[in-house]
Amino acid sequence: MTERVCLVHYHEIGLKGKNRSTFENQLVTNLRRALRHFPVAGVSRISGYLLVETTDKQATEELQRAVAQVPGVARASLAYRCGLDEQEFCNAAVKALGEAGNFTTFKVHARRSSTVYPRHSIELNQLVGAVLCENFPDKKVQMHDPDMTVYVHVVQGNAYVYAASIRGVGGLPVGTAGKVVSLLSSGIDSPVATWMVGRRGATVIPVHFSGRPMTSDTSEYLCQDIIEALESAGLIGRMYVVPFGEHQREISLAVPQALRIIMYRRVMYIIAQKIAELEGAKALVTGESLGQVASQTLDNIAAVNEAVTIPVLRPLIGSDKQEIIRRAQDINTFDISTQTAPDCCTLFMPRRPETHARIREVLEAWNSFNHDEMIENLMQHIEYIDFNQCPSYKPPKVLPARHKELAPAEFVTD
């Protein structure tokens, strides 16, 4: 019986030269974890591809879709794996094209990567093309921009035949670009920024600033839902939760109203930087888009950046809201993010926030309250929630208190 397997294509990894095997091995690890609920017999490397095999030898479209969601995957193709018997792989080509859906034009793309097979690629194209023309007499061969392409690749003693291929998320495997700390809210923007940096190979550690005890903890549960929605990408091992509401109240009483948001964000950035130091992360990530709200003007961004020394990455800085919404819908976080939840972002907000902060006035406001004591207190009350998502995530040896209600019991450290 002809086997059905999933071929995993990658683009950027193929350009990595001597480091290519490191990226391939990480992608293999991430795929095994992402497919742990499927009957996968193995994930292995073959010439120019990764190969996913199932125990029943019949990979499914559901598995193909799961593969496509893993960062580093450019395309995922359901392929028939045949021996080098010409009748067998020609029959597989007929079956693959017949299953491809509606089409008017097609072509064959055959390639020989194994010298065990005597025919050259041109002869292989002609052989399979002739069989397909015979079986699909009402369809037209078209070499440029056909509706459908049937691929026949002879690799390591087998022929892989497919036409059913879907686009993957691309990027690089999570775990190949180091750690970053992401400031994650339950809104639309920051989950998208988190996903985009993870797609570039970073292991992401979100930190969520809750309005607790001044608000309910609803936003914390929504953030948990967002992380679970991103589960297929395998970006996240742990989320930190910072109860910030009481300290926001303190800031709101101490500083000029127009500068509240900048003070809040400076404290958040410093806490995030300290978590980055704890985790060994090299950058912070935010969901800011230039000019989208008052706190995201260049002057205000500079005033907040001044508080930290670590690089701050802003993947959405040039995106408009509609672009961000479309991406949120693509990664299945939009519906979660549009649920109403009180959090620190809406707590003690000024009526007229400053849009062009002057650094002298910012520093004066900053020194009007004991920010060092506040940051120390916040660090003592940080909680965490662990998620079994990211095989590249290694927790720090020194751990703050777990989140008492949300942290899974198996991750509790006494």
Side-chain angles (χ1 to χ4, degrees):
M1 180 179 66
T2 303
E3 299 176 14
R4 201 84 185 273
V5 298
C6 185
L7 286 180
V8 181
H9 313 247
Y10 48 78
H11 290 162
E12 286 190 67
I13 295 176
L15 305 175
K16 293 301 179 180
K18 293 180 180 179
N19 294 324
R20 176 172 167 175
S21 62
T22 301
F23 287 80
E24 288 179 330
N25 289 336
Q26 185 64 60
L27 183 54
V28 167
T29 299
N30 294 351
L31 283 167
R32 285 173 178 160
R33 182 250 145 224
L35 302 175
R36 65 191 185 281
H37 300 306
F38 292 87
V40 173
V43 182
S44 57
R45 294 190 290 168
I46 62 174
S47 180
Y49 304 96
L50 297 182
L51 177 66
V52 179
E53 303 173 81
T54 59
T55 53
D56 60 0
K57 309 298 184 183
Q58 296 298 312
T60 63
E61 291 182 358
E62 185 182 4
L63 180 142
Q64 179 191 24
R65 289 191 294 270
V67 167
Q69 295 301 311
V70 178
V73 175
R75 297 194 72 82
S77 303
L78 282 182
Y80 290 101
R81 179 166 64 182
C82 314
L84 298 184
D85 178 80
E86 293 178 353
Q87 184 65 47
E88 183 182 0
F89 65 68
C90 283
N91 288 341
V94 172
K95 192 171 183 179
L97 187 56
E99 294 171 344
N102 295 326
F103 68 97
T104 303
T105 60
F106 74 94
K107 76 171 184 179
V108 177
H109 179 87
R111 181 164 62 89
R112 185 190 69 164
S113 299
S114 174
T115 55
V116 175
Y117 185 69
R119 290 184 185 269
H120 293 286
S121 296
I122 294 177
E123 296 176 285
L124 192 54
N125 268 310
Q126 293 170 340
L127 171 67
V128 177
V131 172
L132 292 178
C133 287
E134 181 180 343
N135 281 270
F136 298 91
D138 57 330
K139 308 300 182 183
K140 180 182 177 181
V141 175
Q142 182 172 303
M143 301 309 296
H144 299 288
D145 298 320
D147 299 330
M148 196 59 58
T149 300
V150 177
Y151 295 87
V152 181
H153 290 180
V154 177
V155 180
Q156 297 178 359
N158 290 294
Y160 295 89
V161 182
Y162 64 92
S165 186
I166 61 174
R167 186 183 299 276
V169 297
L172 296 170
V174 174
T176 58
K179 285 182 177 180
V180 298
V181 169
S182 171
L183 280 75
L184 181 70
S185 74
S186 59
I188 296 172
D189 300 346
S190 58
V192 175
T194 296
W195 180 86
M196 290 181 71
V197 174
R199 179 176 170 266
R200 298 307 306 161
T203 300
V204 186
I205 300 117
V207 54
H208 175 64
F209 290 86
S210 169
R212 186 162 40 99
M214 310 305 291
T215 69
S216 69
D217 56 3
T218 306
S219 67
E220 300 168 36
Y221 285 89
L222 289 181
C223 284
Q224 185 181 33
D225 291 343
I226 286 168
I227 292 172
E228 289 174 354
L230 298 175
E231 196 267 348
S232 60
L235 312 176
I236 295 166
R238 167 172 294 176
M239 178 177 74
Y240 290 90
V241 178
V242 183
F244 191 37
E246 182 62 36
H247 294 290
Q248 281 185 267
R249 188 184 67 83
E250 293 178 26
I251 293 172
S252 71
L253 295 173
V255 306
Q257 183 180 126
L259 295 177
R260 285 180 191 172
I261 297 175
I262 293 174
M263 297 302 110
Y264 299 157
R265 294 191 70 78
R266 283 173 68 94
V267 172
M268 290 177 184
Y269 275 41
I270 292 173
I271 295 295
Q273 177 172 270
K274 288 183 176 295
I275 291 173
E277 292 168 357
L278 175 72
E279 286 278 358
K282 299 298 190 290
L284 307 183
V285 179
T286 78
E288 292 165 305
S289 172
L290 187 61
Q292 183 170 269
V293 295
S295 65
Q296 297 174 13
T297 64
L298 283 178
D299 290 326
N300 288 4
I301 287 172
V304 175
N305 269 15
E306 191 273 339
V308 295
T309 58
I310 195 170
V312 181
L313 308 180
R314 296 177 171 89
L316 307 181
I317 197 69
S319 302
D320 64 36
K321 196 65 177 183
Q322 293 307 309
E323 292 171 327
I324 298 169
I325 287 173
R326 284 194 294 270
R327 179 71 79 176
Q329 291 169 333
D330 290 342
I331 64 175
N332 299 318
T333 60
F334 179 75
D335 290 341
I336 301 169
S337 296
T338 51
Q339 296 180 45
T340 302
D343 64 7
C344 71
C345 296
T346 58
L347 196 59
F348 304 115
M349 297 301 287
R351 294 176 183 174
R352 295 182 179 178
E354 179 62 67
T355 56
H356 299 287
R358 296 175 177 86
I359 193 64
R360 178 181 59 81
E361 295 173 354
V362 168
L363 293 178
E364 287 178 0
W366 183 245
N367 291 322
S368 68
F369 65 99
N370 192 338
H371 51 264
D372 289 334
E373 182 180 328
M374 179 179 292
I375 289 164
E376 182 179 353
N377 183 268
L378 285 167
M379 287 300 296
Q380 290 174 354
H381 291 87
I382 289 177
E383 304 160 357
Y384 73 86
I385 309 166
D386 275 318
F387 300 88
N388 184 25
Q389 278 195 17
C390 184
S392 62
Y393 176 72
K394 301 295 185 292
K397 294 181 180 179
V398 180
L399 303 177
R402 71 179 180 91
H403 189 289
K404 294 180 177 61
E405 295 175 355
L406 295 182
E410 63 266 28
F411 293 105
V412 175
T413 302
D414 296 325

